[in-house]
Amino acid sequence: MSKDNNNLGTKKGWMNLFSFIVLIIAAVLIVIRRLLPAIGVDVSGPFFTILDTIKDLLLLIVIGVTAYAFVKPLKKGWKIVYAVAIVVFAIGIVLAWI
């Protein structure tokens, strides 16, 4: 029997599971958003904007947590680059509503 590498009893294991779930949700939403116009469904309304925002926020959380784990042991300059990137990503999410 193979060794269980999920480690769901650990913080890292739960983050790995959350990352996997977010990946599945994002993939489904992206495919739906691209396929629906092909069958004549208008995807420019607020419902789809809300779904895109949820997808983007989930991706921001996953990317933010895992990227911080990477920059945490690095020098201050990398943490500044990380913070700027997170802020730019968040601003991009907000600008989608304007």
Side-chain angles (χ1 to χ4, degrees), residues 1-89:
M1 182 188 277
S2 67
K3 183 179 177 186
D4 183 16
N5 290 326
N6 290 333
N7 298 325
L8 288 180
T10 66
K11 190 177 190 179
K12 183 178 178 184
W14 283 106
M15 191 61 203
N16 291 342
L17 175 63
F18 181 67
S19 298
F20 179 74
I21 291 169
V22 169
L23 172 66
I24 299 300
I25 291 170
V28 168
L29 290 177
I30 289 169
V31 168
I32 288 173
R33 180 80 177 204
R34 301 300 185 264
L35 289 180
L36 287 180
I39 60 172
V41 177
D42 180 22
V43 294
S44 63
F47 175 74
F48 291 102
T49 303
I50 291 169
L51 286 179
D52 279 345
T53 301
I54 291 169
K55 173 191 59 109
D56 292 342
L57 288 172
L58 289 172
L59 289 173
L60 177 62
I61 292 167
V62 169
I63 293 168
V65 169
T66 55
Y68 184 74
F70 173 76
V71 299
K72 187 176 180 181
L74 300 178
K75 294 183 180 183
K76 186 176 182 179
W78 288 107
K79 292 175 184 157
I80 292 171
V81 170
Y82 164 82
V84 169
I86 291 293
V87 169
V88 169
F89 195 121

